[in-house]
Amino acid sequence: MKIVKSAILIVTICLFVFLITAFTHTEKTTAVIAPTSAMLTDSAVEEESIYDHIRLDSAGLSREAFEQAMQGFAQLEEKGRIKNTDVISIIDFSLPSSQKRLFVIDLKNKLLLFNTLVAHGRNSGTLNASTFSNKLNSYKSSLGFYVTGDTYNGEHGYSLRLEGEEAGINDNALNRGIVIHSAAYVDETLIKSQGYIGRSLGCPAIPEKIHRKVIEAIRNGSCLFLYSPDKYYSAHTRLLKDSTDI
């Protein structure tokens, strides 16, 4: 009888030790696997989560515009061109000027800071911007990626210089005097009377009531992207090609 009890005790102890060992091994395995799974989350998933979290589709920004903006942003950041990586600004020229098509996004805190009207060049179109140019005196908007510069007080008051980052597409921005400034013709009352806001000589002009706050939020080294589903731009931009050809 003693022998049987001893055998049962030994079996019980062995079973208990086996269960503890198996449980400990499972915990260690899970601890190793979990970080690896997190590391597999790529930037595309993070970009999508920002777009969905802020509900930018409800605000009117197309997902394609946002995704392209983030692709070029990554390229410029890698090249050391962006000093302020917390903010990105997107002008969606697939939208008419009667809609709020400037989006200033806080990437760090996942917030839409500003969504407001913005003008395009008078020779780019009336309600919609459909043609673009990098040439002097073309009075057209230029698509692509810019880095914001310093501020100054000029003809249109408090303004923000823009440096075009794409050769042959918008790199004449400084020579053309393409800046962000305020304009009385960027106003909803004009939409009610004529169906569209006024147009600039190529500058992304914004409303007088909000221009100073917008400029203060994006000045000195943040990324600005002027988007359009334009075939010429898609065929010639190197920033987006570099990011998609890798």
Side-chain angles (χ1 to χ4, degrees), residues 15-132:
L15 181 61
F16 181 74
V17 171
F18 172 79
L19 290 173
I20 291 177
T21 304
F23 180 76
T24 304
H25 177 72
T26 301
E27 280 193 323
K28 288 182 179 179
T29 303
T30 304
V32 172
I33 292 175
T36 306
S37 299
M39 290 171 61
L40 294 177
T41 303
D42 59 20
S43 60
V45 174
E46 175 63 18
E47 289 162 17
E48 184 176 349
S49 68
I50 293 174
Y51 182 88
D52 293 330
H53 178 80
I54 305 176
R55 305 181 78 175
L56 291 172
D57 56 338
S58 298
L61 178 64
S62 71
R63 186 179 293 272
E64 181 175 314
F66 180 78
E67 289 178 349
Q68 288 190 12
M70 295 307 298
Q71 288 173 21
F73 176 92
Q75 292 292 311
L76 291 173
E77 183 181 13
E78 185 177 341
K79 294 176 182 183
R81 293 292 300 143
I82 303 177
K83 295 179 182 178
N84 181 0
T85 58
D86 291 342
V87 177
I88 188 170
S89 306
I90 305 171
I91 296 176
D92 189 348
F93 278 147
S94 69
L95 301 174
S97 70
S98 57
Q99 291 188 33
K100 295 179 179 180
R101 53 187 181 172
L102 168 61
F103 304 81
V104 180
I105 302 165
D106 182 338
L107 297 173
K108 182 178 180 181
N109 298 302
K110 297 184 180 181
L111 296 171
L112 179 59
L113 299 179
F114 301 98
N115 180 205
T116 188
L117 299 170
V118 60
H120 56 254
R122 71 186 188 194
N123 287 342
S124 283
T126 305
L127 176 61
N128 294 87
S130 56
T131 61
F132 308 93

Side-chain angles (χ1 to χ4, degrees), residues 82-238:
I82 303 177
K83 295 179 182 178
N84 181 0
T85 58
D86 291 342
V87 177
I88 188 170
S89 306
I90 305 171
I91 296 176
D92 189 348
F93 278 147
S94 69
L95 301 174
S97 70
S98 57
Q99 291 188 33
K100 295 179 179 180
R101 53 187 181 172
L102 168 61
F103 304 81
V104 180
I105 302 165
D106 182 338
L107 297 173
K108 182 178 180 181
N109 298 302
K110 297 184 180 181
L111 296 171
L112 179 59
L113 299 179
F114 301 98
N115 180 205
T116 188
L117 299 170
V118 60
H120 56 254
R122 71 186 188 194
N123 287 342
S124 283
T126 305
L127 176 61
N128 294 87
S130 56
T131 61
F132 308 93
S133 178
N134 190 38
K135 295 180 180 179
L136 296 173
N137 302 317
S138 66
Y139 303 147
K140 293 183 179 183
S141 298
S142 299
L143 297 176
F145 290 88
Y146 297 77
V147 172
T148 62
D150 59 351
T151 59
Y152 69 98
N153 285 293
E155 179 183 354
H156 301 283
Y158 191 59
S159 306
L160 177 64
R161 291 187 175 91
L162 300 174
E163 185 170 346
E165 294 294 318
E166 303 201 61
I169 295 175
N170 61 21
D171 57 344
N172 274 331
L174 290 176
N175 292 333
R176 294 179 61 202
I178 301 301
V179 301
I180 292 181
H181 64 76
S182 67
Y185 54 76
V186 185
D187 192 274
E188 292 184 355
T189 57
L190 286 175
I191 299 173
K192 295 176 182 178
S193 63
Q194 65 183 21
Y196 55 90
I197 61 174
R199 293 160 293 166
S200 68
L201 299 182
C203 296
I206 58 179
E208 292 177 320
K209 292 181 180 180
I210 200 174
H211 83 284
R212 184 171 288 273
K213 290 182 179 180
V214 172
I215 289 175
E216 284 296 309
I218 68 175
R219 67 189 179 96
N220 295 335
S222 72
C223 178
L224 167 67
F225 177 51
L226 273 62
Y227 165 82
S228 171
D230 181 75
K231 292 182 179 179
Y232 180 88
Y233 176 74
S234 298
H236 291 83
T237 176
R238 288 304 307 162

